[in-house]
Amino acid sequence: MAIISSNPQPLKPGDSSQPGLFSDGMLKEPSAKRTSNDKSPHSSAAKEPLLEPEAKPEERSQQEERLRPRRLSEYIGQKDLKEVLDIAIQAAKVRQETLDHLLLYGPPGLGKTTLSLILAEEMGVGCKMTTAPALERPRDIAGLLMGLQPGDVLFIDEIHRLPKVTEEILYAAMEDFRLDVTLGKGTSARTRSLSLKRFTLVGATTRVGALTSPLRDRFGLIQRLRFYEIDELLQIVLRTAGILKMPVTDEGATEIARRSRGTPRIANRLLKRVRDYVQVKELGNLTEAIAAEALERYNIDPLGLDWTDRRLLTVMIENFNGGPVGLETIAAATGEDAQTIEEVYEPYLLQIGYLNRTSRGRIATAAAWKHLGYTPPDAQLSIL
Ligand SMILES: Nc1ncnc2c1ncn2[C@@H]1O[C@H](COP(=O)(O)OP(=O)(O)O)[C@@H](O)[C@H]1O
Ligand SMILES: [Mg+2]
């Protein structure tokens, strides 16, 4: 089961493949070179994995751990959220209480797991980490809850995927720090209540709307993570470059920041790729030109759009004259899953102003038409 304690070692590698930093297929020829008005066929081989916000198996282990900020003061960006948490932490410390249960939501790679580890660190408590699909049987969650020390953080990733039985056990645990267990079966079944140590549940989800309201209502704090601005990503890239002992210029780091889809995990991944490139080519300091050259080689679009983003927009433009077009229709036309489109792709396209959501459906904006090399129709321009 994927239960991992943050103390003293934050994460155990979940899989055995541990490629070295430079061994993971670096400098492979990029798959088919794509132009700005790409109309390439629907083939997953053309997808650009570097821009996927989810952690790859090798990143889930030590590589990503090394780069995680440990304290709130090192955590870059998310200013409002940090303020809320800082106050909550200080208040809890003064009152010598545990933190309120906290629900963090937002797209992958923005720092939810990192924040939960930071919270535990700041509170001086342990952090047990698990993911909702691993809590299939009542005894999975019961074992975890029983093992918590006073004040500990219990982090449940993908909390919208909790099995119903587990969720019901959590209600009493979150509210009254009580564990109701049923002993025996059928008519002889009895329920016993065990008291638990006070703890803080930190739930993370990309789909806050998929949580049931009884579960959502039991969180004292519900906070959203936002995409990062370029200047924040710049700081993240510079910080990571420092940890990796890699000389970079601000302009070189900005070039990486710009292509990172507002997502720290992607920024760090691109930086590592650029580092491979610089090292193999013996280029020395990372300048803007070198960063751009390297990222172009890996087929990273100047705005961080990936193959699927481009395909979604292209289909909207070519087949539906830019919309409005319904989500399900886009999904059917592109062969992508509607939920993935909504949760993974749309947030970034909305953020950079390439997509609008209206009551009649999605619209590709004039900026998107232009970026993909199309001339927007007059009607499109007038909407904007
Ligand atoms: N605010 C931040 N400042 C610096 N690095 C960050 C920040 N947020 C995330 N990261 C980096 O991005 C990576 C992914 O963050 P993570 O917390 O695993 O994202 P999530 O759980 O939301 O998918 C981490 O390894 C961390 O190094
Ligand atoms: Mg995570």
Side-chain angles (χ1 to χ4, degrees):
M1 187 156 65
I3 300 167
I4 305 139
S5 158
S6 75
N7 275 333
Q9 234 208 326
L11 276 181
K12 276 188 213 141
D15 82 341
S16 55
S17 65
Q18 282 283 312
L21 278 173
F22 300 103
S23 65
D24 48 350
M26 61 167 182
L27 290 184
K28 263 194 215 140
E29 277 303 316
S31 50
K33 178 94 180 138
R34 296 193 297 276
T35 58
S36 62
N37 47 0
D38 169 282
K39 289 159 192 135
S40 47
H42 186 191
S43 112
S44 60
K47 290 201 181 192
E48 184 48 82
L50 287 179
L51 289 173
E52 273 170 17
E54 287 88 6
K56 298 177 185 182
E58 74 271 16
E59 288 172 336
R60 247 175 259 140
S61 54
Q62 283 150 356
Q63 283 194 32
E64 198 162 76
E65 289 318 303
R66 249 180 93 199
L67 304 179
R68 276 194 210 285
R70 303 262 165 237
R71 307 303 295 239
L72 209 51
S73 57
E74 290 173 56
Y75 190 86
I76 294 158
Q78 311 288 352
K79 188 165 158 284
D80 297 345
L81 169 57
K82 267 194 321 198
E83 253 169 50
V84 168
L85 294 181
D86 196 31
I87 291 171
I89 290 167
Q90 288 188 41
K93 277 187 172 167
V94 169
R95 292 197 300 260
Q96 302 196 327
E97 285 177 0
T98 53
L99 276 177
D100 257 352
H101 302 306
L102 166 69
L103 180 64
L104 297 171
Y105 69 97
L110 298 191
K112 297 180 291 297
T113 304
T114 306
L115 257 188
S116 76
L117 289 163
I118 288 178
L119 282 184
E121 183 84 27
E122 295 282 348
M123 291 298 294
V125 297
C127 184
K128 288 253 167 69
M129 311 193 79
T130 185
T131 161
L135 301 172
E136 213 173 290
R137 301 157 306 177
R139 69 163 181 259
D140 298 328
I141 186 71
L144 258 179
L145 290 167
M146 299 284 290
L148 293 172
Q149 300 299 311
D152 271 1
V153 168
L154 172 61
F155 176 74
I156 304 184
D157 211 355
E158 300 187 62
I159 194 156
H160 60 278
R161 295 177 62 191
L162 273 182
K164 197 160 187 299
V165 279
T166 308
E167 181 168 327
E168 278 164 6
I169 292 173
L170 269 183
Y171 294 160
M174 289 173 78
E175 210 157 63
D176 305 322
F177 302 100
R178 198 183 77 224
L179 179 65
D180 295 331
V181 282
T182 308
L183 303 170
K185 278 199 177 131
T187 49
S188 64
R190 290 169 293 125
T191 305
R192 268 190 57 198
S193 277
L194 305 171
S195 68
L196 296 167
K197 310 279 190 320
R198 292 186 81 85
F199 67 98
T200 301
L201 181 72
V202 179
T205 181
T206 49
R207 300 186 58 204
V208 71
L211 257 68
T212 64
S213 50
L215 181 60
R216 205 169 45 230
D217 292 348
R218 283 173 170 79
F219 287 96
L221 286 167
I222 299 184
Q223 295 288 318
R224 181 171 90 143
L225 281 87
R226 300 171 179 282
F227 284 112
Y228 291 69
E229 303 292 339
I230 305 281
D231 62 328
E232 295 165 343
L233 290 166
L234 167 64
Q235 290 178 56
I236 291 173
V237 171
L238 292 174
R239 177 180 175 277
T240 303
I243 296 171
L244 299 177
K245 300 201 171 30
M246 177 181 174
V248 291
T249 63
D250 278 6
E251 294 74 30
T254 305
E255 190 57 43
I256 295 173
R258 236 194 320 265
R259 299 184 190 222
S260 302
R261 305 176 67 80
T263 306
R265 175 175 290 130
I266 297 177
N268 287 342
R269 188 187 294 148
L270 294 186
L271 177 68
K272 284 188 202 154
R273 285 314 168 103
V274 170
R275 176 172 85 153
D276 294 348
Y277 187 83
V278 167
Q279 202 147 40
V280 169
K281 298 231 160 192
E282 299 179 4
L283 295 168
N285 208 359
L286 176 62
T287 61
E288 185 176 356
I290 293 175
E293 179 187 313
L295 292 169
E296 259 149 47
R297 253 196 94 112
Y298 292 120
N299 261 343
I300 306 294
D301 174 287
L303 275 176
L305 294 196
D306 77 359
W307 187 88
T308 309
D309 297 310
R310 304 175 74 94
R311 175 155 171 84
L312 294 174
L313 292 171
T314 305
V315 165
M316 288 176 70
I317 290 169
E318 290 204 343
N319 300 12
F320 304 97
N321 198 28
V325 50
L327 175 64
E328 294 296 337
T329 311
I330 301 174
T334 54
E336 297 289 336
D337 171 54
Q339 193 177 311
T340 311
I341 296 178
E342 192 165 27
E343 285 160 26
V344 180
Y345 295 99
E346 281 191 352
Y348 182 65
L349 295 173
L350 288 163
Q351 155 101 1
I352 60 172
Y354 275 22
L355 195 76
N356 277 343
R357 266 188 203 161
T358 70
S359 54
R360 288 179 305 142
R362 273 69 171 168
I363 297 176
T365 66
W369 283 69
K370 288 185 194 148
H371 185 73
L372 294 173
Y374 296 94
T375 312
D378 294 345
Q380 275 290 342
L381 286 172
S382 65
I383 291 173
L384 305 158

